[in-house]
Amino acid sequence: MQLRNIAIIAHVDHGKTTLVDMLLKQSGTFRENQQVAERAMDSNDLERERGITILAKCTSVVWNDVRINIVDTPGHADFGGEVERILNMVDGVCLLVDSAEGPLPQTKFVLGKALKLGMRPMVVVNKIDRQDARPDEVHNEIFDLFASLDASDEQLDFPTLFASGRNGWAVTSLDDERKDLTPLFELIVNHVPAPKVDSVDAPFTMLATTLEANPYLGRILTGRIQSGRIKTNMSIKSLSRDGKLIEQGRASKVLAFRGLERVPVDEAQAGDIVAIAGLVKTTVADSIVDMSVDNALPAQPIDPPTLAMTFSVNDSPLAGREGDKVTSRMIRDRLLREAEGNVALRIRETENADAFEVAGRGELQLGILIETMRREGFELSISRPRVVMKTDAASGQRLEPIEEVVVDVDEEFSGVVVQKIAERKGEMLEMRPSGAGKVRLVFHVPSRGLIGYQGEFLTDTRGTGVINRLFHDYAPYKGQIPGRRNGVLISNAEGEAVAYALWNLEDRGPMMIEPGWKVYEGMIVGEHTRENDLEVNVQKGKKLTNIRTTSKDEAVVLTPPIRMALEKALSYIQDDELVEVTPKSIRLRKKLLDPNERKRAERQAEAG
C-alpha cells in the first residue's frame, strides 16, 4: 500500500484537531453508528478541559488505497519541543491558518522549522465561515511570512485550500461548491512525497520521537522506520546520539496506527510510523536499530528551556492531609520520568535534598505538569518562576531570553497595553490596524516582564484582547523590572477563618479565603491595599454579651474572595513566597512561616 506521512501544524486554536476529526470521519475510519468524542485526538482530561492539544499524537486513515499517517501537533509555543521532534517523522506538513487572525507567532515558529528541513508545506486557510474572515488578505500575509523566512522558490510555490474544518469541507477556490474534504485528501496524496526510505532490504533503523509508559507493555517508543523491516520478537538495540550502546533487547510488540487504535502487526517496513515495546532505558532522540548497525541517526537539536521553577516537598502545617505522594523521593522519580519523555524539560537537583529545579519553555508547560501531578495525588510547594539566564562566552555579558509578543486589541485599549509593556522593558516593532476596529501590536519583551502579565492584560482589555508569545532570542540583560506593587495579608495563627473577622478586615484589602477554611501562621489570606505586608487575625469571633441585639448585626455579607487558579497563583507570588499545591487546594504562603524568621531574613537582605 502507498504511504504518506504528514503533520498538521498551526497556531493554538486555529482548528487542527477539529480538522483531523473530520478527516477521520470522511475517510470511513468510524462506523456509521460509532460514538466518538468531539476532538477525538485530545485524549487526556486536561486537553479536553482546556481545549488545547498538549501531546502530539498519530493517527492514520486510508483514502483510495493510500494510507495517510497524520500527526496532530500542539499549537501552543510552550509545547514547541513536541513539534520540533515530530517534523523528523513526516515528509510533508499542512500549515493551517485562521482566516480572520492570520499568521501568528507559533505559525512562524513551526513553519520556520519545517522550511529549514527542506519541506514543501501546503497551506489551508481554515474557518472560512467566520463572519470576520478575510481569506485573500490572510493568503497574502502567509506568502509574506514564507518570504521573510527565506523560503526557496519551490517552497514559495505552495498550494492553498480554503476550508471549514468544523463543517467538513475544503475548496481550491472560494467560488467552488462546498461539499467535503476530497480536495484536501487529493492534495495530500499528490503534493506530499512518498516516504524517502534508504531501502527495505537494508538493516532496520528508526529514530524514537515520542515516548509513553504503558502498565502492560512498559515503554512504548513511536517513530518512523528509516530503513529495513521490523518483525515482532526481532533482536534490536538502541544507540544514543553519539553512537554509544544504551541497551539490547527484543521488539516484544510492534504497533501500527489504524484510525484512533493502535493495532499489533507482525511486520512493518521502511516509511511507516510505528510504536515499539520491549526496550527499558531507551528514550526520545535515541536510535533503535538492527544488531548489525553501529551508527546513530541524526536527531534535531531542541531549543533550550527559558523558564525555571523550584518544586519542593510541601512542609506546611496542613501537609499530607489531601495527597498521598508527599516525599521527596516520589517527587524526584515522577519528575525524572516526565523529563524522559519530554525533551523540552530539564530537571536539576539543588543543594537542598527536598527541592528540584525544573526548567521548561513557559508558564503553561510547567503549569500543566503541576496540574497533572496534583491529580495524581502529589503535594508540592512551588516557587515563583524565574528566567534561565546565559553568559556570553566572548564578552562575559549576562544574556536573558526575549520573546516576540503579538497583541490583537480594540483600538481604545492599545494605549494602556503599550504603556504596560513599555514598563516591562518591551520594545514595539510594529503597530497596524487589523480590521474590525482592532489593532495588531508586535513587541520584543524580556521573558521576565511577561511573568504574571496575562491576567493584568485581560483586565486592561476587558477580556477582549488576545496575546500570543514566542521565544525570540537571547539579548543583553535589560535591567530591573518593577514587580507586584501591593503587599499581602498574612494569617498570624493556625485555625479556621471566621466570617466576622473577614468582614472586619475587608477595608484592608480583598480576601483570598472563605469562612471555614483552614489557615496557618504564614499563610497568605488576602491582598493588602498598601505596599507592605500585614499580619492579621482571621479567627477573631465577635465578642458576645448577655445583652440582646437586633439580628441585623449577625447578617455578615462578605465580598466574594479572589479565586486563584494555578497559573494565576504562580505569576502572583513574589520571591519570598510559595504556592502550596495539593489535590484539592491551591494556597499561597510565605517561604518562612515564622514572622521572626522573616524579619531576620529581611534585615540580612538589607545588610547584605
Side-chain angles (χ1 to χ4, degrees), residues 73 121 136 225 227 260 285 304 330 383 438 495 523:
T73 61
D136 294 331
I225 304 175
S227 64
L260 294 178
M330 285 174 155
S383 74
K438 285 193 178 290
M523 179 172 153

Side-chain angles (χ1 to χ4, degrees), residues 97-103 123-143 158 160-163 169 171-175 178:
V97 184
D98 188 302
S99 64
E101 293 178 4
V123 173
V124 174
V125 180
N126 195 25
K127 304 192 182 182
I128 289 293
D129 47 347
R130 278 182 68 153
Q131 285 180 329
D132 52 353
R134 43 188 192 96
D136 294 331
E137 286 169 55
V138 167
H139 190 222
N140 292 337
E141 286 173 17
I142 297 168
F143 186 83
F158 55 85
T160 306
L161 290 178
F162 300 95
W169 54 261
V171 290
T172 44
S173 155
L174 288 168
D175 306 326
R178 301 173 174 186

Side-chain angles (χ1 to χ4, degrees), residues 166-238:
R166 196 174 58 179
N167 295 325
W169 54 261
V171 290
T172 44
S173 155
L174 288 168
D175 306 326
D176 292 355
E177 187 192 349
R178 301 173 174 186
K179 274 194 314 202
D180 53 20
L181 290 171
T182 303
L184 180 55
F185 281 117
E186 285 173 351
L187 187 60
I188 292 172
V189 172
N190 298 331
H191 182 74
V192 177
K196 285 195 214 68
V197 289
D198 298 347
S199 162
V200 175
D201 302 320
F204 165 74
T205 57
M206 173 180 129
L207 187 71
T209 314
T210 62
L211 171 142
E212 65 183 280
N214 182 294
Y216 305 107
L217 301 174
R219 277 187 172 212
I220 297 182
L221 295 141
T222 304
R224 182 174 74 161
I225 304 175
Q226 292 295 103
S227 64
R229 304 167 185 271
I230 184 162
K231 297 179 180 174
T232 309
N233 284 329
M234 180 173 129
S235 294
I236 48 175
K237 64 180 180 181
S238 59

Side-chain angles (χ1 to χ4, degrees), residues 218-293:
R219 277 187 172 212
I220 297 182
L221 295 141
T222 304
R224 182 174 74 161
I225 304 175
Q226 292 295 103
S227 64
R229 304 167 185 271
I230 184 162
K231 297 179 180 174
T232 309
N233 284 329
M234 180 173 129
S235 294
I236 48 175
K237 64 180 180 181
S238 59
L239 305 171
S240 62
R241 275 186 192 178
D242 48 8
K244 293 198 179 97
L245 177 71
I246 300 170
E247 62 175 326
Q248 298 181 347
R250 286 184 179 279
S252 58
K253 271 271 194 293
V254 178
L255 304 165
F257 294 88
R258 301 291 179 259
L260 294 178
E261 311 286 312
R262 271 197 304 220
V263 182
V265 290
D266 293 331
E267 182 182 337
Q269 60 184 32
D272 208 351
I273 294 176
V274 294
I276 295 176
L279 295 170
V280 200
K281 296 181 195 155
T282 311
T283 183
V284 168
D286 293 337
S287 303
I288 303 171
V289 295
D290 186 77
M291 300 302 271
S292 60
V293 176

Side-chain angles (χ1 to χ4, degrees), residues 369-393:
L369 170 60
I370 298 165
E371 183 65 45
T372 308
M373 286 176 71
R374 75 182 273 226
R375 290 182 183 205
E376 291 169 10
F378 282 89
E379 289 199 8
L380 304 160
S381 290
I382 314 287
S383 74
R384 175 179 167 81
R386 59 191 175 280
V387 297
V388 178
M389 299 282 191
K390 280 198 340 193
T391 307
D392 187 15

Side-chain angles (χ1 to χ4, degrees), residues 408-410 413 438 457-458 461-466:
D408 285 306
V409 288
D410 294 341
F413 302 125
K438 285 193 178 290
F457 169 78
L458 289 173
T461 61
R462 312 269 168 86
T464 60
V466 178

